[in-house]
């Protein structure tokens, strides 16, 4: 459910019908693929070759940036199927994300018409397209930090106070 996504979430983009995720490899005009394991409990197991993206605020309300750590993914052409990274956050690097039936629609909000992140199974790349190609899914990294609490005992006792000694 896209409504559960929030700034600071870490996600991976995965081919819906294949065991591949977007890789850390930035080709000239698209992103490579990295093998993953799709588990039966609706999770994936990834390797270091998989690009983990941090969601941030986009340039318009209701949009996200997809940060690689030091750069942003952006739709890079109106006439070509380009997906690149850049240091600046602009409308072509601001994405709307919707999810229906486990399929994610990730669409850049700039002026470029090739602005829909898809998986190309023939060329084995993730890129931006105006139409066609294969569906993608989003997996969010689980927060594995344990819940922590502090407790105390209601026993009676005294507290000793000490004053610092000067000179």
């Amino acid at each position: 459910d896209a409504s559960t996504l929030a700034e600071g979430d870490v996600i991976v983009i995965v081919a819906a019908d294949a065991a591949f995720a977007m890789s850390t490899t930035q080709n000239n005009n698209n992103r490579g693929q990295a093998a993953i394991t799709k588990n039966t409990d609706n999770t994936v197991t990834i390797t270091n070759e998989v690009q983990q993206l941090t969601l941030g605020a986009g340039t318009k309300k209701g949009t996200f940036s997809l940060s690689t750590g030091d750069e942003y993914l952006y739709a890079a052409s109106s006439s070509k199927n380009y997906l690149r990274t850049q240091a600046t956050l602009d409308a072509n690097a601001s994405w709307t994300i919707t999810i229906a039936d486990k399929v994610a629609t990730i669409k850049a909000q700039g002026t470029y018409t090739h602005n829909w992140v898809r998986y190309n199974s023939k060329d084995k790349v993730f890129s931006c397209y105006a139409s066609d190609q294969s569906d993608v899914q989003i997996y969010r990294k689980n927060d594995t930090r344990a819940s922590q609490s502090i407790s105390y005992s209601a026993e009676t006792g005294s507290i000793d106070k000490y004053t610092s000694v000067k000179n």
Side-chain angles (χ1 to χ4, degrees), residues 59-60 75 90-95 107-113 115:
T59 59
K60 297 179 182 178
D90 61 18
N92 288 309
S94 296
W95 306 86
K107 193 170 186 178
Q109 298 304 294
T111 57
Y112 295 141
T113 55
N115 59 355

Side-chain angles (χ1 to χ4, degrees), residues 64-130:
F64 290 104
S65 63
L66 301 175
S67 173
T68 62
D70 53 355
E71 294 190 306
Y72 302 100
L73 284 183
Y74 78 107
S77 176
S78 223
S79 60
K80 307 272 186 188
N81 300 322
Y82 291 169
L83 176 63
R84 296 181 179 155
T85 57
Q86 65 183 9
T88 30
L89 178 60
D90 61 18
N92 288 309
S94 296
W95 306 86
T96 57
I97 299 173
T98 57
I99 300 173
D101 298 323
K102 297 183 182 181
V103 171
T105 301
I106 306 167
K107 193 170 186 178
Q109 298 304 294
T111 57
Y112 295 141
T113 55
H114 289 238
N115 59 355
W116 189 16
V117 175
R118 307 285 281 162
Y119 175 66
N120 182 326
S121 59
K122 179 182 173 228
D123 294 332
K124 299 179 170 119
V125 296
F126 289 82
S127 202
C128 285
Y129 297 91

Side-chain angles (χ1 to χ4, degrees), residues 153-164:
S153 172
E155 295 176 7
T156 58
S158 63
I159 299 174
D160 295 327
K161 292 183 180 179
Y162 293 87
T163 304
S164 63

